[in-house]
Amino acid sequence: MAAAEEYADVSRYEVKPAPANDGVILVCGSTLTPQPIAWLWRHWLAQGKLHILAGAPGQGKTTIAITMAATVTIGGRWPDGSRCEAGNVLIWSGEDDPADTLLPRLIAAGADRERVFFVDSARVNGEIVPFDPARDMVQLMAAINQIGGVTLLIVDPVVSAVAGDSHKNTEVRRALQPLVDLAAATGAAVLGISHFSKGGQGQDPTQRVVGSVAFSAVARVVLVAAKVKSMEGEDRRILARSKSNIGPDDGGFEYGLEQVEALPGIQASRVAWGKVVEGTARDLLAEPEDDEAATDASDACELLRAELVAEAWTPANSACKPLRDAGFSKKQIWSASKRLNVVRRRGGFQGAWYWRMPGGIDPDLDEPGANDSLNDSNDSTFLNVESMESMEPLESLGVVKSGREDTDLDPSGGTIEEF
């Protein structure tokens, strides 16, 4: 039987009818009424949606969330001056004690304590047990409906909602779905607090949220908090929007952390909001290049520029020797070559690397003078190494490992081990 006939012959497959009450539910677009996003804080906290607030330790993420909660309970003003409609707040914390940490911070921020509720535990079969989101989410939704008017739910940390491996995309998505459903069902803005992974400075802050990328992917808005240095060298803290699927994804506010006496003998921290800042989260949280690093980069470029011309090829080893002698590392030399847009080519009997400045007519690598310097670089260890920016093999970059054939490389290619 031909393949087409085989697939067409479905009569040999037994199709069991589905139970009368089971089936896929479809909704026709013509029966739906378009709805605007309902904002608790316009473009920052959306009702019925999941949000992530992330940052490095010590940046006051919980204090920021508590300050937001206080604003909701009193119908106060957000950092942009807009007024918030008063509502109830539910806080589910696995890290801080409500009595000695969270409540003092709420009081310091001016919250209405009558509008704040903490998830303490659950009752299962008449026995009081620790709250388990995988088991008790239905009961939590019932409690929220009983309270009524809950417009903000804080989950600290949001990873506590994940019973499985927080680095596995599928498990995180499955674990977060009940939170997404709870937000949609109650109309509350759900704010999950997370941390930044170590390293990654200069990357998109959204990609630095610890754990699976599903945390940021499932959330409709990702907020990030960080301390950076200003151009004047002063420390400043910034809360920025790093991602939003439902509004602007840039801009932010400066903020400070203050220690105040919430009650006699009880100290607590609170947020003092500062000015509005413009730009993407990546730009706002980037550290300005310090003077010493900028000077080193400039010096490396000047030394390398003095060794190269556009009209002829220079062995990479020879060009880089003065920089090595001056104490520059391979990474610094490589960065200098990238800044100068150095053109690279591999050639000669042993496939050595040659560099030149951009511009002019592309010189022939085999012309007299170029090959005379091959011996200067025969002891180089250029071959079979990987790029700093790409782990592809050299062949995929257009490099020929042996023979006389030479192939130009894009200046962004090549390898740090050329010199």
Side-chain angles (χ1 to χ4, degrees), residues 48 179 184 208 251 273 320 411 418:
L179 272 181
R208 294 184 59 195
W273 294 110
C320 298
E418 291 175 14

Side-chain angles (χ1 to χ4, degrees), residues 303 307 317-330 333 419:
L303 284 174
E307 298 299 319
N317 256 356
S318 300
C320 298
K321 186 177 185 302
L323 284 83
R324 291 197 301 268
D325 293 343
F328 288 102
S329 67
K330 287 185 177 182
I333 298 173
F419 43 86

Side-chain angles (χ1 to χ4, degrees), residues 290-307:
D290 60 66
D291 293 339
E292 183 178 355
T295 301
D296 287 346
S298 177
D299 290 346
C301 287
E302 289 301 318
L303 284 174
L304 186 56
R305 185 183 288 110
E307 298 299 319

